[in-house]
Amino acid sequence: MSVLTSSLTFQQLVVDGILSPIHQAFGETVQRIDAAADPDVVLAAVLCSEQLARGHVCLDLSAAESIVFPTSETDSRIRQYNNWPREAEWVDKLQNSPLVTMVDAAANRNAIATPLVLDADRRRLYLARYWYFEQKLAANIAERLQQEPLRIDEAQLQREIAQLFPDRENAGSRDQCLAVANSVDRWFSIITGGPGTGKTTTVARLLALRLLQHLAAGNDPAELNILLMAPTGKAAQRLNESLSRATQHLAVDEQVHDALKQVSAGTIHRLLGWTPLPPERGGPFRHRAEVPLDADIVLVDEASMVDLALMCRLFDAIPKTAQVILIGDRDQLASVEAGGVFSDLCGTLIGDTFDRLSEPRRTVIAQRTGLQTTETSSSASLSPKSSSKAPAEEPLRKKKAAQRRKKADPKQMSLFGGDDEAVSEAELHSVATTKKDSVERDSRSVPASVLTESVATLNYSHRFSSESSLGQLAAAIREGRADDAVELLRSADPSEIQWLDGSGKGASPVEVAIEQAANGYREYLEHLNGDPTGSKEILQAAAEVRVLTAHHSGLRGEASLNQRIAERLMADGLLNSYAGDQLGRLVMVARNDYRLDLFNGDVGVVAKVGDDSNSSTAGERGRVVIFEDGSEESGVRRVPAALVPGVRDCFAMTIHRSQGSEFRQVLLVLPEHDSPVLSRELLYTAVTRVKESRDAASGAALPGFLCIAGSESVLRGAITRCILRVSGLCEGVEDRARLIAKTDS
């Protein structure tokens, strides 16, 4: 290990437990690339890598202290490191480092040979690969935003909208109608909405309109190539099921109906043609700019789950002649990997879609829909949901390097590029020089609304009303109002919301939640005992209740809760065991198996083929896993248990895995102590998994039920912990759009 001369080293931070050992290894690698590197430059590189692990695209140098140290400890901990770099000096050292490329690099600069890229004006430091991803995606989106709108027969469109939205004056339908009317002719658009706001219904009608326009132009609707995709196999399956239901009763031409039936969703990786080949042999995806997708419309559902790198590759593979529509909920969980692309692009926009449209566009949409605009005359500005900050007031000192910058060994760059395709010097320089020009503003620049006008918001929830206890609680959490959330929980109707905060006597909150969960699962297990081969009703009963938790492990983690619930069910004689292929076991598929048409996240119940003695294969013990399948007459598909890929117990599941699902009864078990994993977004996602259902016999509405087991301090900590991922994507899109507008003019 090399010894740094500064009193502040990344090794100190590792020893103190602030950074993980993997970042120590990264720092040492950076030092090997440049043995004479300034310690503060190495520290910045290490922190940049650490931020990437947290999901951020870059390091915000102006907020580095609060990034490294928890807010409550910042002042005291910073005093321990009395040589913490001053921001201006830090930026100056980075500007003069051979490890760093400036975004306004000279034409002859071998940009790809450096691991770091610095945007000095905005105080952002990137690993080169992620800066490239961000800028390339921004350029792609900006180009689509500046394309002339699709040619639309306006008179025909007005008739079609009136036909598809006969009740568009109603609140829920109005939002959807505006979203469709605003997206139908755009090359790039976003539709965002919370749970139950009708995103899939909106998608179905949007696609129907495009097909109707295609038909009116004298073309065969079946020739319009529509690609639907989602980040996971389960999300793709849910999209297929929801779209099938939404299109059943559409009042459209039979040809259009048939064309919609042929549309099927797949995963992004599958449609891009993932391959294990290295970049130099055409990996990791078969489809890219040189081999684009064959598509006229590309629609991405659950787009909030797509990380920056994957989104960049997806847009790279989509031809410029294809319309792109992103669908999702900006308030739900972001991607596991770095970047919050969907949230960044949506910003913090709220309210009516009309309100953020320019006057000309508002007039067009009003004519298309027959709806009245609001009295607001100014468009809402984009306020990106990121923690990027304005540059410090002290001007940066611009100094030229006093010595020739060394070129890093290109062989070392595999550390920063991984399995991703190589970024050519020409490509990176092109992005860099464009960035330099783009910051120049003039009167001919496009308005800030270039992006905001492409975002449509669905506000009306059909899952639960805004006046209901659940609706109010979800809003309080989403908006960070911890006091209101606590008050709502304490005063809520106990038949709708129960809060087990551990303040009373008796059993612990977790034990009470486990008891309630066992009672909830009792129904499907009793049905299964009477019908051991399984039925659709059994699956539906099993899907009525779910225990959610933030963690995989620990006393209140997924594994522990599954075991404790199973033991409770075994004590009641409803389960013999919860391991292996025991009858009644509730399981989740752990990985995709395209041959069996099973996907990571599919939930099933272990049932019998018949008598164990009649098993066709000795190793199967007469066991199958039943999954719901609308294509089968019975509504159930049976897969031999031995063939189901890597199952895990599913009485309890992590909140991450529940995204996209809904249950009538949700029992949320909070961590025992405050946890950085439990964020506002995670809590909001959990709460909004609750839905209403219908009594099978009477058809009466059955209200959803939420039970939260956890302390007030942990709950408040989650509500106040908003995940703000640092990126420059929105600024990049606007910069590129202004540059395009300037060039065109």
Side-chain angles (χ1 to χ4, degrees):
M1 181 189 306
S2 98
V3 179
L4 303 182
T5 57
S6 173
S7 63
L8 173 65
T9 69
F10 65 88
Q11 288 97 336
Q12 284 180 264
L13 298 175
V14 173
V15 171
D16 291 346
I18 296 170
L19 296 178
S20 67
I22 193 171
H23 296 110
Q24 178 174 331
F26 180 84
E28 291 168 357
T29 302
V30 172
Q31 287 180 288
R32 285 195 294 270
I33 296 174
D34 182 10
D38 186 285
D40 288 340
V41 172
V42 179
L43 174 65
V46 171
L47 293 180
C48 190
S49 173
E50 193 269 348
Q51 281 293 85
L52 199 66
R54 295 190 186 188
H56 304 282
V57 176
C58 55
L59 170 67
D60 182 355
L61 292 166
S62 65
E65 295 93 337
S66 61
I67 290 168
V68 175
F69 308 104
T71 304
S72 60
E73 301 177 7
T74 298
D75 292 340
S76 61
R77 298 300 294 271
I78 282 290
R79 284 195 290 269
Q80 298 179 26
Y81 302 95
N82 51 19
N83 274 9
W84 185 266
R86 293 184 178 180
E87 183 184 328
E89 295 176 356
W90 208 357
V91 172
D92 191 59
K93 289 179 179 180
L94 288 166
Q95 288 178 308
N96 290 284
S97 171
L99 296 168
V100 180
T101 296
M102 305 298 295
V103 297
D104 57 350
N108 61 352
R109 178 77 171 117
N110 188 8
I112 195 58
T114 67
L116 301 170
V117 175
L118 176 65
D119 184 343
D121 291 335
R122 289 167 171 157
R123 302 307 207 263
R124 298 189 186 122
L125 183 68
Y126 295 79
L127 293 185
R129 157 185 168 195
Y130 282 88
W131 175 78
Y132 170 75
F133 284 149
E134 184 176 274
Q135 293 300 312
K136 191 171 186 179
L137 178 60
N140 199 313
I141 293 174
E143 186 175 346
R144 295 177 187 277
L145 288 170
Q146 294 298 88
Q147 287 180 257
E148 289 294 325
L150 283 161
R151 292 185 178 180
I152 296 291
D153 185 331
E154 291 291 344
Q156 177 75 16
L157 183 62
Q158 290 178 32
R159 292 192 295 270
E160 292 163 349
I161 288 177
Q163 183 179 353
L164 289 171
F165 294 94
D167 57 345
R168 57 191 178 279
E169 295 289 348
N170 298 333
S173 186
R174 182 181 187 276
D175 280 352
Q176 296 172 19
C177 182
L178 289 175
V180 168
N182 192 50
S183 303
V184 68
D185 61 342
R186 293 189 179 276
W187 291 102
F188 173 78
S189 60
I190 294 173
I191 299 175
T192 179
T197 53
K199 293 188 290 291
T200 306
T201 301
T202 304
V203 167
R205 295 178 180 182
L206 175 59
L207 295 178
L209 279 178
R210 289 285 286 113
L211 290 167
L212 285 167
Q213 286 278 315
H214 199 65
L215 179 64
N219 303 308
D220 183 356
E223 296 175 351
L224 197 65
N225 199 351
I226 301 172
L227 292 184
L228 304 183
M229 52 183 74
T232 66
K234 186 62 178 177
Q237 184 186 37
R238 292 192 187 107
L239 178 59
N240 279 326
E241 294 169 352
S242 300
L243 193 60
S244 177
R245 290 193 298 267
T247 57
Q248 286 179 359
H249 306 292
L250 284 179
V252 294
D253 187 277
E254 186 176 349
Q255 285 182 275
V256 172
H257 233 294
D258 291 341
L260 283 171
K261 289 180 180 178
Q262 299 305 312
V263 177
S264 179
T267 65
I268 297 174
H269 285 79
R270 191 177 189 184
L271 291 173
L272 285 181
W274 181 87
T275 169
L277 294 175
E280 59 269 19
R281 294 178 60 189
F285 296 104
R286 182 169 63 86
H287 290 291
R288 50 193 184 279
E290 299 79 11
V291 190
L293 292 163
D294 182 15
D296 299 302
I297 301 174
V298 175
L299 190 145
V300 185
D301 195 26
E302 298 289 357
S304 65
M305 300 170 65
V306 184
D307 61 86
L308 173 64
L310 183 57
M311 191 73 84
C312 176
R313 291 190 173 108
L314 173 59
F315 270 75
D316 192 45
I318 299 173
K320 296 298 189 292
T321 54
Q323 192 176 11
V324 182
I325 306 158
L326 304 183
I327 311 293
D329 183 356
R330 64 172 182 201
D331 295 310
Q332 288 192 36
L333 298 169
S335 60
V336 176
E337 302 297 328
V341 175
F342 189 80
S343 180
D344 283 345
L345 295 175
C346 290
T348 57
L349 301 173
I350 59 174
D352 196 293
T353 302
F354 260 137
D355 291 345
R356 51 182 172 269
L357 298 179
S358 64
E359 286 293 346
R361 185 67 177 178
R362 191 180 304 163
T363 301
V364 170
I365 301 304
Q367 290 173 345
R368 289 176 178 178
T369 63
L371 297 171
Q372 297 297 314
T373 66
T374 63
E375 296 180 357
T376 306
S377 61
S378 60
S379 299
S381 61
L382 181 67
S383 180
K385 190 181 178 183
S386 69
S387 60
S388 55
K389 298 186 177 183
E393 293 182 2
E394 181 185 358
L396 292 175
R397 292 179 297 167
K398 306 286 186 179
K399 294 196 304 185
K400 297 182 179 180
Q403 57 184 10
R404 180 182 297 177
R405 298 182 178 181
K406 304 175 189 177
K407 293 184 179 180
D409 183 358
K411 294 181 180 179
Q412 295 279 0
M413 293 302 105
S414 60
L415 171 70
F416 309 97
D419 296 330
D420 300 298
E421 68 266 20
V423 181
S424 70
E425 177 183 351
E427 285 179 312
L428 197 57
H429 169 65
S430 175
V431 174
T433 53
T434 305
K435 175 73 174 181
K436 178 182 179 181
D437 295 336
S438 69
V439 297
E440 299 177 5
R441 316 275 178 154
D442 67 8
S443 59
R444 295 174 294 179
S445 296
V446 297
S449 62
V450 63
L451 186 53
T452 65
E453 282 199 348
S454 299
V455 181
T457 307
L458 305 180
N459 296 303
Y460 185 87
S461 177
H462 300 270
R463 187 176 297 182
F464 42 73
S465 72
S466 58
E467 290 77 26
S468 68
S469 297
L470 279 169
Q472 293 183 60
L473 178 61
I477 294 172
R478 185 183 65 242
E479 296 163 12
R481 295 184 280 112
D483 289 343
D484 291 346
V486 169
E487 179 60 30
L488 281 165
L489 286 170
R490 296 203 184 284
S491 60
D493 184 344
S495 65
E496 295 183 21
I497 300 178
Q498 183 182 14
W499 185 18
L500 307 172
D501 63 354
S503 59
K505 298 180 180 179
S508 71
V510 178
E511 291 298 329
V512 176
I514 289 173
E515 178 70 22
Q516 292 188 10
N519 290 333
Y521 290 125
R522 180 182 300 274
E523 181 180 356
Y524 96 85
L525 288 167
E526 289 177 343
H527 279 313
L528 188 66
N529 287 336
D531 180 16
T533 60
S535 64
K536 182 179 179 180
E537 289 69 30
I538 289 172
L539 288 172
Q540 291 174 336
E544 286 283 278
V545 61
R546 199 70 80 239
V547 176
L548 304 181
T549 180
H551 295 149
H552 289 285
S553 57
L555 291 176
R556 299 189 180 188
E558 179 186 54
S560 176
L561 290 171
N562 269 308
Q563 181 175 349
R564 294 166 72 179
I565 294 169
E567 289 172 349
R568 183 68 182 83
L569 293 171
M570 289 164 60
D572 291 343
L574 297 170
L575 277 181
N576 292 325
S577 172
Y578 75 99
D581 58 359
Q582 294 298 315
L583 184 67
R585 185 186 176 199
L586 187 64
V587 297
M588 176 184 290
V589 176
R591 63 178 183 271
N592 296 339
D593 190 321
Y594 295 108
R595 297 171 304 165
L596 296 173
D597 203 28
L598 291 176
F599 302 100
N600 184 7
D602 284 349
V603 176
V605 174
V606 178
K608 285 185 177 182
V609 173
D611 295 335
D612 288 348
S613 59
N614 296 330
S615 173
S616 59
T617 304
E620 292 178 9
R621 298 180 58 238
R623 295 290 192 264
V624 294
V625 182
I626 59 172
F627 299 94
E628 194 165 350
D629 188 345
S631 64
E632 298 288 338
E633 185 176 350
S634 64
V636 170
R637 182 160 61 102
R638 293 172 171 82
V639 181
L643 300 180
V644 180
V647 297
R648 59 199 302 169
D649 303 303
C650 195
F651 298 112
M653 62 195 303
T654 61
I655 301 170
H656 281 86
R657 286 188 171 271
S658 75
Q659 193 164 3
S661 300
E662 52 186 28
F663 315 96
R664 192 176 68 83
Q665 185 179 174
V666 170
L667 299 113
L668 173 60
V669 178
L670 302 180
E672 190 173 6
H673 305 290
D674 193 26
S675 168
V677 173
L678 186 62
S679 64
R680 181 187 304 172
E681 291 81 2
L682 199 71
L683 187 62
Y684 172 78
T685 301
V687 168
T688 54
R689 297 311 90 202
V690 182
K691 67 167 184 176
E692 290 185 348
S693 63
R694 297 280 174 182
D695 183 82
S698 65
L702 299 173
F705 175 76
L706 171 68
C707 175
I708 298 179
S711 68
E712 180 178 339
S713 62
V714 171
L715 182 74
R716 286 182 175 274
I719 295 174
T720 56
R721 185 177 296 108
C722 185
I723 304 300
L724 301 176
R725 293 191 170 180
V726 182
S727 87
L729 181 61
C730 283
E731 291 95 332
V733 171
E734 291 184 4
D735 288 344
R736 292 300 189 111
R738 290 186 178 93
L739 180 62
I740 294 170
K742 179 181 178 181
T743 303
D744 291 344
S745 64

